[in-house]
Amino acid sequence: MRPRPSLLLSHVLPALLLGLLPLSACRADELNAQQPEASSLPMPVAQDPLTLVPNAIALADGTTFNLSLPPEFQITVAAEGLKRIRFMAQSPDNRIFVTDMFNLTDNTRGKVYILEDFDAEQGTFGHITTYLSGLRNPNSVAFYTDSEGNHWLYLALTDKLVRYPYRNGDIAPSGEPQVLAEFPDYGLSYKYGGWHLTRTVLIAPNDKVYVSIGSSCNVCEETEAVRATIMEMNPDGSEQRFFARGLRNSVGIDWAYGTLFAVDMGSDHLGNDRPDETLYAVTKGQHYGWPYCFQAEDQVYADPQFLDSPQRLDCETVPLADVAFPAHSAPLGIEFFGEEHTASNLQNYFLVALHGSSDRDLGRGYQVARAAPGHAPDPFIDGFLQDGEVYGRPADIFTLGPDTFLLTDDHRGVVYYVTKRQTAIEQITLPGG
């Protein structure tokens, strides 16, 4: 579960910490304390396969379809009419901020929105405020409060990491941005499976900032060490280091039980069924294989393209993933649902937004999957691809309270609200709601 400030719910949530930083003097230093293994996570309460039932969805543009999820849950449209909306964060004054990358191109038309005026009866946000605009591919937003009580809004763009001073109630930044990091911002186009434009940031309860930076290509030996890594640093940008390497495109990162978890997307040159997409409990200093090694059928293999490379990696040193997803399912946002959640079929599981393969005929992904280390993933929300028609592509999951979360769809620009039927939406109180 990503840490966040508490919402005004009938149950109190853990405190939030979030933020971002620079990349100028990266070191390969390890952390002082060893992280727990994934086995330290509590076991899921319910381990039986899920049964899903259809829920009718009607969008403002007249589009109607069904999304299927467990019968004790319901899903409604909380906000719509946006573009390529991506990752969410909660501000210190309990407002929901969401990024919008506009479209799939490299552009400077991105925005950050505030979702406000929550209607407890309808489960919808009544007002969408543009907080920032003219941004270069904003994927991830986060908040952090420093030791002096100052609030900061951090924003991960393709070419840099910035932070703005934040004051409760702001509808626009209250000061100029500070550039904390600069990132490589060139590569091959999406046509060739590269040029990963997104950067994702998380500030964990250990007061460290983690930033994921994708590769420049589908499969290649990078000339810049920062590509295909997760960085770790202090909230002021100091003591930057490589936390993990060999992660081709780790868009989704999360923190649970003292451990950093990350999903990763495999390369696209090994056919329809290889490599697996993966979820790891990330260990400091570990190399996860790309581009030299890949996982398939519960084994790690050497990529034949690099067998003669002097830089090749010993694939026996690459760990198996804690969870494997089908090839080309494209995992993005992840969220851990801990013991504060009462739904037995959700408690102690991750939910993972499987964005879906670009080849819709392949049909992989296009769902929210339930996953736990040692357990095969299964669909929790399904129906975003039906009979070749794309009704959505899940991007991020954000917990609001026990058995309650938001889900973004960056294909149709929709934010969904999901809650357990018996807890109902009247428990949620947001500013203006």
Side-chain angles (χ1 to χ4, degrees):
M1 174 189 297
R2 281 171 288 185
R4 55 187 54 82
S6 60
L7 284 173
L8 303 177
L9 300 170
S10 60
H11 300 271
V12 178
L13 297 181
L16 165 75
L17 300 160
L18 288 161
L20 315 164
L21 322 140
L23 289 172
S24 53
C26 300
R27 306 196 310 269
D29 305 64
E30 295 189 347
L31 292 178
N32 293 325
Q34 177 66 43
Q35 289 198 101
E37 300 294 333
S39 59
S40 68
L41 289 175
M43 292 296 293
V45 173
Q47 302 181 28
D48 294 332
L50 291 169
T51 298
L52 307 184
V53 299
N55 283 239
I57 301 295
L59 301 181
D61 64 3
T63 302
T64 59
F65 56 98
N66 288 324
L67 291 175
S68 296
L69 65 164
E72 63 267 42
F73 285 85
Q74 62 187 24
I75 184 168
T76 57
V77 176
E80 57 184 315
L82 305 173
K83 295 291 185 182
R84 192 186 175 199
I85 53 170
R86 299 285 284 187
F87 281 58
M88 295 169 281
Q90 187 184 335
S91 65
D93 53 340
N94 298 332
R95 297 186 293 171
I96 301 301
F97 283 63
V98 61
T99 58
D100 191 327
M101 294 178 66
F102 187 75
N103 62 23
L104 285 169
T105 68
D106 181 13
N107 66 75
T108 56
R109 303 176 71 179
K111 297 182 179 182
V112 174
Y113 296 109
I114 310 171
L115 306 182
E116 299 183 282
D117 299 332
F118 189 78
D119 185 322
E121 294 296 325
Q122 301 298 320
T124 59
F125 292 97
H127 192 64
I128 300 173
T129 301
T130 299
Y131 182 80
L132 280 166
S133 61
L135 303 172
R136 186 173 179 189
N137 311 311
N139 177 67
S140 182
V141 62
F143 289 90
Y144 178 71
T145 301
D146 63 28
S147 60
E148 297 179 355
N150 300 309
H151 302 313
W152 298 93
L153 180 148
Y154 291 78
L155 189 61
L157 308 173
T158 292
D159 58 336
K160 59 191 173 185
L161 178 67
V162 298
R163 73 174 184 175
Y164 295 84
Y166 180 80
R167 298 178 304 194
N168 291 346
D170 276 354
I171 59 172
S174 56
E176 293 300 311
Q178 299 176 6
V179 177
L180 301 180
E182 294 185 352
F183 305 109
D185 63 348
Y186 59 89
L188 299 177
S189 72
Y190 280 112
K191 178 180 178 181
Y192 300 103
W195 202 357
H196 295 127
L197 298 173
T198 63
R199 315 287 181 239
T200 305
V201 63
L202 170 75
I203 297 185
N206 62 1
D207 224 22
K208 297 291 184 180
V209 176
Y210 299 91
V211 183
S212 61
I213 302 100
S215 68
S216 69
C217 58
N218 175 34
V219 59
C220 66
E221 292 182 320
E222 298 281 9
T223 59
E224 296 163 308
V226 72
R227 300 279 195 175
T229 69
I230 294 177
M231 303 299 302
E232 188 232 40
M233 53 199 102
N234 294 329
D236 63 358
S238 62
E239 297 187 14
Q240 298 174 25
R241 69 198 77 195
F242 294 110
F243 189 77
R245 305 173 190 257
L247 293 161
R248 177 177 171 270
N249 193 30
S250 242
V251 180
I253 54 179
D254 194 16
W255 187 270
Y257 287 87
T259 300
L260 181 68
F261 286 83
V263 292
D264 193 34
M265 299 184 196
S267 53
D268 297 325
H269 67 296
L270 296 168
N272 288 340
D273 300 315
R274 290 186 168 194
D276 294 339
E277 314 277 50
T278 49
L279 168 64
Y280 295 102
V282 182
T283 301
K284 61 181 177 61
Q286 179 66 52
H287 196 297
Y288 287 89
W290 184 90
Y292 306 104
C293 313
F294 66 90
Q295 178 173 321
E297 299 95 27
D298 294 323
Q299 295 187 56
V300 176
Y301 297 90
D303 191 317
Q305 184 166 325
F306 299 100
L307 292 179
D308 296 327
S309 170
Q311 302 177 59
R312 68 184 180 277
L313 188 70
D314 179 359
C315 294
E316 292 186 2
T317 66
V318 176
L320 285 172
D322 294 284
V323 179
F325 303 96
H328 313 298
S329 53
L332 293 184
I334 59 175
E335 185 79 301
F336 183 70
F337 289 76
E339 294 180 340
E340 73 276 15
H341 298 276
T342 62
S344 62
N345 57 10
L346 186 61
Q347 191 178 71
N348 298 333
Y349 278 98
F350 287 93
L351 289 186
V352 182
L354 299 182
H355 198 232
S357 58
S358 56
D359 181 0
R360 67 181 64 178
D361 292 334
L362 193 58
R364 303 276 171 75
Y366 294 96
Q367 63 183 225
V368 174
R370 184 184 71 164
H375 297 271
D378 55 353
F380 191 88
I381 303 176
D382 208 356
F384 290 101
L385 176 66
Q386 300 179 38
D387 300 322
E389 178 75 17
V390 177
Y391 292 103
R393 302 188 75 179
D396 189 33
I397 300 154
F398 189 87
T399 301
L400 288 178
D403 312 319
T404 303
F405 61 93
L406 298 173
L407 168 68
T408 56
D409 159 26
D410 71 357
H411 178 71
R412 292 185 183 265
V414 177
V415 180
Y416 290 99
Y417 175 76
V418 182
T419 188
K420 195 175 177 184
R421 291 183 185 275
Q422 50 264 52
T423 58
I425 56 180
E426 63 266 19
Q427 290 190 359
I428 301 294
T429 303
L430 289 169

